[in-house]
Amino acid sequence: MNNKEYIAKLSSSTEYTQEDTQKLVRTVIDGMIELIEVDPHTSISIPSFGTFEVKKRMERIMVNPTTKQRMLVPPKLVLNFRPVALSRKN
């Protein structure tokens, strides 16, 4: 499901227009981004969906596939998403 399909489905299940739904979703995502930028040690948990958290990626040596030259990639912070494991009813 892409963003357009998600907005259409969300809009059809509420009384909001697609434009209002898109603004609402964008506002929520922007708020999450701002919160993580302010405090990288924060994790954001959305019940029945998953958790977003910042993890530190250690420095490592990579090989350029074209030149076969080895290079050092510095450490950095990356955003990680861990989905909730949903149980299926049979």
Side-chain angles (χ1 to χ4, degrees), residues 40-56:
H41 301 292
T42 301
S43 66
I44 299 172
S45 221
I46 302 173
S48 301
F49 184 68
T51 303
F52 294 91
E53 59 189 358
V54 176
K55 288 191 172 186
K56 184 175 183 179

Side-chain angles (χ1 to χ4, degrees), residues 16-28:
Y16 297 110
T17 65
Q18 284 193 12
E19 291 172 354
D20 290 341
T21 304
Q22 187 172 10
K23 287 178 188 175
L24 179 64
V25 169
R26 188 74 247 166
T27 301
V28 170

Side-chain angles (χ1 to χ4, degrees), residues 5-68:
E5 294 168 340
Y6 175 70
I7 296 296
K9 184 171 180 139
L10 192 58
S11 176
S12 69
S13 66
T14 63
E15 57 191 46
Y16 297 110
T17 65
Q18 284 193 12
E19 291 172 354
D20 290 341
T21 304
Q22 187 172 10
K23 287 178 188 175
L24 179 64
V25 169
R26 188 74 247 166
T27 301
V28 170
I29 292 172
D30 288 344
M32 292 169 59
I33 291 169
E34 184 179 318
L35 182 62
I36 288 176
E37 285 177 342
V38 170
D39 184 9
H41 301 292
T42 301
S43 66
I44 299 172
S45 221
I46 302 173
S48 301
F49 184 68
T51 303
F52 294 91
E53 59 189 358
V54 176
K55 288 191 172 186
K56 184 175 183 179
R57 184 176 288 172
M58 303 303 286
E59 75 177 6
R60 60 195 188 281
I61 296 176
M62 300 283 292
V63 177
N64 182 328
T66 306
T67 64
K68 307 295 186 218

